[in-house]
Amino acid sequence: MFLYKRLIKYVIPYRRQLFFAIICMLIVAMTTLALPWFIKVILANALSTHNILQLNLTMLAAFVTVFIWALAQYGQNFLMGYIGQKMIYALRNEIFEHLMFLPLKFYKDTQTGQIMSRIINDIFLLENFVVFGVIH
C-alpha cells in the first residue's frame, strides 16, 4: 500500500489522461461484452428467420462495436503508455538528483553494477507495472 501512495505523486500531474484511460478501459470492457450478444442475435434471430435486413443491421452493429473496441483499446494503451513514460522520466530525474548528492563513501562501498541495476532494472519493472499492470 505504501508503494501505491508513493506512486500517486507521480500520477497526479496526469490525472486527466488517467481519467480518459479509465474511460477507454470501460469502453473496452463494454464492447467486449457486447460482441457475444451480437453473435447470439445473429444466430438466434436473423439466421433462423432468414431476415436479411436484420442480419445486415446486426452485422453492421457488430462491426461498429469492433471498431469502437479497437479505438478504445488503442486509446487505453496509448494513454497508459504516455503516463508510464512521463512517470518514469520524472522518477529517473529524481533518482539522478539523489545520486548526485550522495557521499563519495556510498560510491566507494557500492559496486557500479549494483547501482546501474537498481536504476535500470527496478525502474523498468515499475514502468511495466504502471503501463501493463493497471490494464491487465
Side-chain angles (χ1 to χ4, degrees):
M1 189 66 181
F2 178 69
L3 176 64
Y4 296 124
K5 288 180 182 178
R6 289 182 62 188
L7 286 177
I8 286 176
K9 78 175 186 177
Y10 297 103
V11 176
I12 288 175
Y14 309 105
R15 60 185 170 270
R16 185 179 347 156
Q17 289 89 346
L18 183 63
F19 173 76
F20 287 119
I22 291 170
I23 296 295
C24 288
M25 287 180 202
L26 292 173
I27 292 171
V28 165
M30 288 187 295
T31 53
T32 301
L33 293 174
L35 285 176
W37 182 80
F38 283 123
I39 293 171
K40 176 190 155 249
V41 169
I42 290 169
L43 292 176
N45 298 337
L47 292 179
S48 65
T49 61
H50 302 291
N51 186 346
I52 300 298
L53 179 63
Q54 184 180 8
L55 178 64
N56 288 337
L57 289 175
T58 307
M59 289 298 293
L60 178 66
F63 285 128
V64 168
T65 303
V66 169
F67 182 73
I68 291 171
W69 174 84
L71 284 177
Q73 186 76 30
Y74 174 78
Q76 168 189 329
N77 290 336
F78 178 81
L79 290 169
M80 291 306 292
Y82 176 81
I83 292 167
Q85 290 294 321
K86 292 294 187 176
M87 284 178 57
I88 296 306
Y89 178 76
L91 188 60
R92 281 189 175 143
N93 281 336
E94 192 173 305
I95 289 172
F96 180 75
E97 288 289 325
H98 178 73
L99 288 173
M100 293 302 294
F101 295 104
L102 287 175
L104 290 177
K105 183 173 180 353
F106 171 80
Y107 292 106
K108 182 179 177 223
D109 296 341
T110 310
Q111 294 179 350
T112 305
Q114 232 179 351
I115 298 169
M116 294 303 294
S117 175
R118 286 282 188 189
I119 294 171
I120 294 171
N121 294 332
D122 292 357
I123 291 180
F124 177 74
L125 292 173
L126 182 63
E127 178 183 12
N128 281 338
F129 169 74
V130 169
V131 174
F132 300 113
V134 175
I135 296 172
H136 300 107

